[in-house]
Amino acid sequence: MDTLRTMPGAVAEATSFPVRGRRAEQERLTQWVRRHVHRNGGGVLWLEGPAGAGKSRTLAAAGNEAALAGAHVLTGAGTAGGRMTPLAPLLDALAVEPDDLAHGASAGVAGLEDTSYWLLRKVAGRLRELTRDRPVVVLVDDVHDCDDLTLLAVRTLTVQLAGLPLLWVLASRSHADAPAVRALRRDLFTRNATQLELGPLAPDAIRQMTQDLLGPEAALAAPFLCYLDGHPGTVRQLCAHLQDVSPVARCPATDTADLREVTTWLVNRRLDQLSEDARELVLIASVLGDTFTVQHLSQLLDRSEPTLLAPLREVLAAQLLRAGDDRLSFPHAPLRDAVAATLPRPLRLSVRRRSVEVRARAGVPIVSLAGELVDVAEPGDVWAGRILRQAAQELAFVAPGTAARFLRRALESTTELCPERQRLSAELIPLLWQAGEIAEARDVARGLVQAPPDPVTHARTCLELTRMGSQFEVPRLDAHIRHVHRRRDVPVPLKDQLLSMTMLDRLLRGDAEEAGGTVAETLMRTRGVHPVSELTHRTLESINAVHRHHWADAIKHSGAATAGVAHLDPGRAAALPEVALTTSWRASVLSVTGDDRGALELVEAAVEEVEQHGRRAFIPLWRTTRARLLLETGQLAAAARDLAAAEEAAAATGLSFTGESAALCTRARVAFHLGDEAGLDACAARAEELLSSPEPQQRRIGAWITVITAAGRDSALTERQLRLAKAHLMRGYVHVAGIDAGDAVLLVRVALATGSREVAASIVEFAENRAQRNARFPLFAVTARHARGLLDGDRCRIVEAAEGYGNGRPLLRSRAWEDAGALTADPSEARACFERALEGYEACGAEPDSRRARSRLRKLGIKPIAAGHAPDAGWRGLTPSELSVVRLIAHGATNRQAAERLFLSPHTVNTHVRHAFEKLSVRSRVQLARLYLREVDQEVALSS
């Protein structure tokens, strides 16, 4: 650093320009100087701060103030990294010329120690002379770079000349490592020296400083301010560099080579201030992540922890690292990234790779290391491949997407085409499928099944393909499966699983008849020697029972299958397609037999599980299953949302899931009840495509969708469509969704509307036989009674059915009340039936059904009021909920009946009735009914 010598009153104004944000420190220093100069007193002030804190400018400001006060101002400074003449800063300050030194030597000064003694006396004498005239202020900058003799001289002179009007202002970097500097500082403070520390500037001061230096282009410095730690000197240097940046790069959002060069300069500047050991430590630390331990650093650097103490203290003092309770970290992530960027990429990868290996030996869980190992593993790294495969196996059942990423990287580490690589590929297929990476899974499966490394891997690949429900069009897959069954070196449990899953897949796709075997034959051939195979075996038995409409057996076998799931490893079971199909089938069977709550509990748990663990391939299945259950319980809006989510998931992954038929049936029914004409049109168009399919199951599905659209649009069906729809109903299931018990009522209604009483009568007979064979399930008997009532025009049977549905099937119950009202000759009874139907439809949000019920009421001369809306906004102050209860009470309903119809609790109904009594000033239900009929129903009738 160049020395600066200033005569009294000649301190440069530019040099002493005040540092923004240092007003408090400069004011304190000014007051100290003035006080001592005016009193002709002496003293020592120690000014310290980190590099770039503004010490030199603050020191110059002190000299300027002293000169203005009339003092002699002497300045000197240490020189960084240079060989200095002993006492050079003080000699320069006193303007001692070289010929004086020569004169001293000729006077007989021989040895170095004698020369130093003579020089010290010369300095002391010169200072005494100057203080006779006026006070003297000695400014020594960069004390941390001064030679040892200068430091010793300062220690000595501050004692010897303590009684003179001599002020010492010494500026040093914080936490200087030189022992002589530390000793000087400690000695001065022992003798009551004054300290002034320059800490970091406040963020506002830094921003204002950049505004002063860069003007309208100050925003260019904003991304870099976090690196400066509030030091004004560094801010000036940064702004000087930014002023040299090309005009094209002067956009804060532009990441150009010029701006990166500025960042590199900033980081290198800080690194250059460190010793070699400290620099190595911080460079290695920059690639270790957000936090790390001293022990980990010592292992990577191959150095003991005590030997890291000095470089670590240096790095902490430079504020490149900070220490927490038990870990180290960088103050800012951008600072860490910038430091790491100074290392070549191969070196960064090598350090990270070694870091992973060190932590693995220390017992850190493999799963927590695999994410980093994915980025640093190189081709042919056998150890990395083994670790990644192990991590993928641990995560396969909780995070298939992450497991697939790990296993894919393990494959890349295995450079040669070998059996081990192919076995890894076989493990990758189900992970990719579950995570929704369908295209890649398809490519891997096709290649592996054509050239397997061994018979067992071949069998497992065929099993995975079958589990996926024929997602992939693999050439000659059936031939591959038959080949597996003929192999003697394939374990029997694996063959058993493959046979059961193949049959289940074919049943759910509807081509079991064409597969060359029956369910019963498969059940005899499978032995259930594997726990998962036993689940499939039980599900097949349940499906077979449904096909024969023996629902008690279906419930028993599906319950046994579900119980078997409970005995499997809970962490692995949910990822198996066999478990998903078993659980979904169980939910469907429960729903058909009337246990909607139990069914929804199963499905809700499954939906939460697959979404939590990212099993995207299962989302269409579970969302569709839940949509159907919500539809049956009258929650139309929620059902529509689930269907949309299922379609979105299928589209996002490219899945053509095997539950498409069940989803299509549910979508058509939801669109019918919600009045979604566009949805109905789409379902009708798809039905036409299915009706022309060569597969019988597809034709039956197409006919059934036509039944739903015909019911929604009052259109007739052809004899062929009715025949196919009847076959669909009697088959008993679609995919994992069983035919709903109420579907018989729907088909009877459509057949009668078409004029085909023969088909309607055969369906009624079927429904009654089913109810007789399954007497323990009341829902079958209720739907049979409803269907018989429609066929015979028997109002009493339909009323019994309406009462029998209860709250479990609100749409079926409302339709039964509507059917009963249509068969009632008494207008008052018909009105009561239609109103009950309307209430149920409106509670479900079935707008087309509600419009139909309102139309029937208008034909009776009654203008119906929509649920939740008062006939007059100010009528007696009742809320919409209270009015709904009052309307039912006025028409003869008990509190319990009103609660059932409005899906409320009896307690809530009691509360509404009590509030109505108070607001209407009535004391009995009779008075309540009279008032309502007179002021509401009569007005409505007159206005209509």
Side-chain angles (χ1 to χ4, degrees):
M1 180 181 294
D2 294 335
T3 60
L4 174 65
R5 181 165 52 88
T6 306
M7 295 305 294
V11 177
E13 292 295 330
T15 305
S16 61
F17 184 81
V19 178
R20 180 176 290 277
R22 295 291 188 215
R23 177 174 298 179
E25 293 92 338
Q26 289 181 351
E27 182 65 24
R28 180 182 172 190
L29 180 59
T30 297
Q31 292 178 358
W32 187 86
V33 170
R34 286 175 181 169
R35 183 171 61 252
H36 286 75
V37 169
H38 291 162
R39 295 177 180 176
N40 286 328
V44 179
L45 185 143
W46 182 274
L47 177 68
E48 72 177 14
K55 298 185 295 297
S56 297
R57 285 180 174 266
T58 304
L59 199 66
N64 185 58
E65 185 64 32
L68 293 175
H72 286 289
V73 179
L74 308 175
T75 62
T79 302
R83 295 175 62 88
M84 298 181 61
T85 300
L87 281 178
L90 295 179
L91 296 175
D92 287 343
L94 294 168
V96 177
E97 300 297 335
D99 58 346
D100 292 334
L101 295 176
H103 174 73
S106 64
V109 178
L112 178 60
E113 294 182 1
D114 293 334
T115 302
S116 300
Y117 174 74
W118 178 85
L119 290 175
L120 184 58
R121 289 188 60 187
K122 182 72 173 178
V123 170
R126 179 64 174 156
L127 288 174
R128 285 190 179 94
E129 292 177 9
L130 291 175
T131 55
R132 294 192 188 105
D133 182 26
R134 66 184 71 185
V136 175
V137 178
V138 181
L139 309 178
V140 182
D141 198 3
D142 293 332
V143 172
H144 53 276
D145 289 326
C146 289
D147 62 285
D148 290 347
L149 184 56
T150 298
L151 298 175
L152 178 61
V154 172
R155 292 180 64 186
T156 303
L157 294 174
T158 53
V159 175
Q160 290 180 355
L161 308 178
L164 301 177
L166 177 61
L167 303 181
W168 298 84
V169 183
L170 311 173
S172 174
R173 187 174 297 170
S174 301
H175 309 292
D177 284 334
V181 177
R182 292 200 301 269
L184 172 62
R185 184 179 185 276
R186 184 173 57 251
D187 188 55
L188 293 176
F189 285 138
T190 301
R191 288 185 273 114
N192 298 321
T194 302
Q195 181 183 13
L196 180 60
E197 184 175 0
L198 301 182
L201 295 183
D204 289 342
I206 290 292
R207 286 192 290 269
Q208 188 59 54
M209 190 173 179
T210 58
Q211 184 69 37
D212 294 341
L213 295 172
L214 294 177
E217 295 179 347
L220 194 63
F224 305 100
L225 296 183
C226 63
Y227 296 99
L228 305 182
D229 296 328
H231 299 159
T234 313
V235 174
R236 289 192 188 88
Q237 290 179 297
L238 171 67
C239 292
H241 278 273
L242 290 175
Q243 286 173 334
D244 295 334
V245 171
S246 64
V248 176
R250 295 191 180 191
C251 172
T254 305
D255 183 17
T256 65
D258 289 330
L259 293 183
R260 289 195 296 272
E261 184 178 347
V262 172
T263 305
T264 302
W265 160 80
L266 189 58
V267 170
N268 285 334
R269 177 187 175 281
R270 302 187 72 175
L271 293 177
D272 288 343
Q273 298 169 358
L274 302 176
S275 65
E276 183 177 350
D277 288 345
R279 189 181 307 112
E280 180 187 13
L281 183 147
V282 76
L283 287 173
I284 295 298
S286 68
V287 297
L288 299 184
D290 295 333
T291 62
F292 47 90
T293 64
V294 176
Q295 181 184 18
H296 189 46
L297 265 179
S298 70
Q299 291 172 336
L300 285 177
L301 295 170
D302 288 329
R303 296 178 57 179
S304 64
E305 294 180 24
T307 62
L308 294 181
L309 182 59
L312 186 56
R313 287 181 56 191
E314 184 180 354
V315 173
L316 291 172
Q319 300 184 31
L320 287 170
L321 289 178
R322 62 184 177 190
D325 292 338
D326 58 351
R327 304 182 74 83
L328 300 171
S329 65
F330 281 83
H332 315 288
L335 177 62
R336 181 198 64 221
D337 296 339
V339 173
T342 62
L343 292 172
R345 186 174 184 276
L347 182 56
R348 291 200 305 270
L349 295 179
S350 177
V351 172
R352 291 179 63 189
R353 166 66 172 73
R354 188 180 174 202
S355 172
V356 173
E357 190 170 354
V358 166
R359 283 177 285 165
R361 287 200 303 266
V364 176
I366 296 300
V367 171
S368 64
L369 300 175
E372 186 175 356
L373 195 56
V374 164
D375 299 329
V376 301
E378 295 290 337
D381 190 339
V382 178
W383 179 83
R386 185 172 66 253
I387 295 298
L388 289 170
R389 183 181 187 183
Q390 182 179 343
Q393 290 171 343
E394 292 183 20
L395 289 175
F397 300 98
V398 293
T402 304
R405 184 165 66 94
F406 291 167
L407 198 55
R408 189 189 293 115
R409 195 72 178 87
L411 272 168
E412 295 171 0
S413 300
T414 308
T415 55
E416 298 181 359
L417 182 62
C418 59
E420 184 62 24
R421 181 183 177 89
Q422 291 177 298
R423 295 186 187 99
L424 286 176
S425 298
E427 295 176 17
L428 181 61
I429 296 172
L431 298 177
L432 292 172
W433 178 76
Q434 287 186 56
E437 303 291 339
I438 303 303
E440 185 178 354
R442 180 187 299 116
D443 293 340
V444 174
R446 284 176 173 172
L448 190 58
V449 79
Q450 299 297 332
D454 56 72
V456 174
T457 303
H458 186 205
R460 294 191 181 281
T461 304
C462 291
L463 175 61
E464 295 299 340
L465 288 170
T466 308
R467 281 173 165 172
M468 296 169 196
S470 301
Q471 290 294 315
F472 313 133
E473 296 179 0
V474 178
R476 302 177 63 248
L477 178 58
D478 288 345
H480 284 283
I481 293 174
R482 288 194 297 270
H483 176 72
V484 168
H485 284 301
R486 288 195 298 266
R487 298 284 306 215
R488 294 186 177 181
D489 46 3
V490 175
V492 171
L494 183 55
K495 290 183 180 180
D496 196 33
Q497 283 183 271
L498 180 57
L499 178 61
S500 299
M501 196 64 213
T502 302
M503 190 60 204
L504 180 59
D505 175 54
R506 289 169 176 170
L507 278 173
L508 299 178
R509 284 189 285 118
D511 61 355
E513 296 90 344
E514 291 74 35
T518 64
V519 179
E521 180 183 354
T522 303
L523 292 174
M524 292 178 62
R525 292 174 59 192
T526 57
R527 281 153 284 188
V529 295
H530 191 279
V532 177
S533 180
E534 178 66 18
L535 300 181
T536 313
H537 184 92
R538 290 289 192 176
T539 303
L540 285 171
E541 289 182 319
S542 182
I543 291 176
N544 189 34
V546 167
H547 191 60
R548 295 180 285 109
H549 297 285
H550 291 170
W551 288 88
D553 290 344
I555 290 288
K556 180 184 69 174
H557 291 305
S558 68
T562 306
V565 172
H567 294 297
L568 298 177
D569 182 351
R572 298 170 177 264
L576 297 174
E578 291 96 329
V579 172
L581 293 174
T582 294
T583 308
S584 181
W585 175 258
R586 171 69 174 174
S588 297
V589 171
L590 291 176
S591 175
V592 173
T593 54
D595 186 1
D596 297 301
R597 176 175 297 182
L600 271 172
E601 287 176 355
L602 285 176
V603 176
E604 292 287 358
V607 170
E608 181 180 358
E609 196 279 336
V610 299
E611 292 184 348
Q612 178 183 356
H613 294 105
R615 304 190 208 284
R616 299 171 64 195
F618 290 136
I619 291 177
L621 166 66
W622 287 117
R623 288 282 193 171
T624 300
T625 304
R626 186 168 67 177
R628 177 181 166 276
L629 298 178
L630 293 171
L631 165 65
E632 301 304 343
T633 55
Q635 302 176 65
L636 295 175
R641 288 193 296 269
D642 267 341
L643 284 173
E647 292 176 2
E648 181 181 353
T653 58
L655 287 166
S656 55
F657 63 103
T658 53
E660 181 187 10
S661 299
L664 198 57
C665 293
T666 304
R667 188 183 306 117
R669 292 177 61 192
V670 170
F672 159 58
H673 286 298
L674 289 178
D676 180 4
E677 291 297 328
L680 272 179
D681 289 341
C683 290
R686 180 61 177 147
E688 290 299 323
E689 296 176 8
L690 294 174
L691 282 169
S692 59
S693 171
E695 298 182 11
Q697 176 72 347
Q698 298 297 309
R699 293 195 297 271
R700 291 191 289 264
I701 294 294
W704 188 253
I705 296 170
T706 304
V707 169
I708 298 172
T709 57
R713 293 172 171 172
D714 294 328
S715 57
L717 297 182
T718 66
E719 190 66 28
R720 174 175 177 267
Q721 290 170 334
L722 281 175
R723 186 178 68 253
L724 289 171
K726 175 183 174 182
H728 170 79
L729 176 66
M730 293 184 173
R731 183 175 178 81
Y733 61 89
V734 178
H735 186 53
V736 290
I739 298 296
D740 186 69
D743 287 345
V745 178
L746 175 62
L747 188 54
V748 168
R749 180 176 293 107
V750 172
L752 291 174
T754 304
S756 181
R757 286 189 61 84
E758 182 180 351
V759 172
S762 64
I763 295 300
V764 170
E765 183 181 358
F766 159 76
E768 291 175 339
N769 289 335
R770 181 179 63 181
Q772 185 178 3
R773 290 198 302 269
N774 300 278
R776 58 178 288 194
F777 306 114
L779 185 57
F780 290 127
V782 174
T783 54
R785 196 174 297 120
H786 191 174
R788 173 59 70 181
L790 286 177
L791 181 65
D792 297 343
D794 189 338
R795 174 184 176 277
C796 293
R797 285 181 180 272
I798 296 178
V799 169
E800 290 176 6
E803 296 288 356
Y805 283 127
N807 294 329
R809 291 288 191 273
L811 289 171
L812 281 173
R813 181 181 62 182
S814 298
R815 191 55 198 259
W817 283 119
E818 183 182 352
D819 292 337
L823 295 174
T824 302
D826 185 346
S828 62
E829 292 184 5
R831 172 185 174 176
C833 290
F834 292 147
E835 285 184 340
R836 296 181 75 170
L838 177 60
E839 290 161 8
Y841 288 144
E842 288 179 337
C844 295
E847 184 55 33
D849 300 293
S850 298
R851 287 197 301 268
R852 190 175 62 249
R854 291 192 198 99
S855 175
R856 292 181 183 276
L857 284 169
R858 280 192 291 269
K859 289 179 181 179
L860 295 176
I862 299 169
K863 184 178 181 180
I865 306 301
H869 297 280
D872 184 331
W875 191 78
R876 301 282 184 152
L878 294 183
T879 66
S881 299
E882 291 167 351
L883 183 62
S884 298
V885 173
V886 167
R887 182 171 58 247
L888 291 175
I889 298 298
H891 290 122
T894 65
N895 285 12
R896 182 172 296 279
Q897 290 171 337
E900 292 177 354
R901 296 177 194 177
L902 296 176
F903 303 101
L904 300 174
S905 70
H907 175 74
T908 302
V909 171
N910 290 337
T911 301
H912 288 334
V913 171
R914 186 173 64 255
H915 289 167
F917 277 18
E918 295 171 357
K919 293 178 180 180
L920 300 176
S921 300
V922 297
R923 297 183 178 181
S924 67
R925 298 168 68 90
V926 174
Q927 291 177 338
L928 176 67
R930 287 174 180 173
L931 182 62
Y932 180 85
L933 294 174
R934 183 176 66 250
E935 295 189 8
V936 178
D937 277 7
Q938 238 176 8
E939 284 293 323
V940 171
L942 290 174
S943 62
S944 62

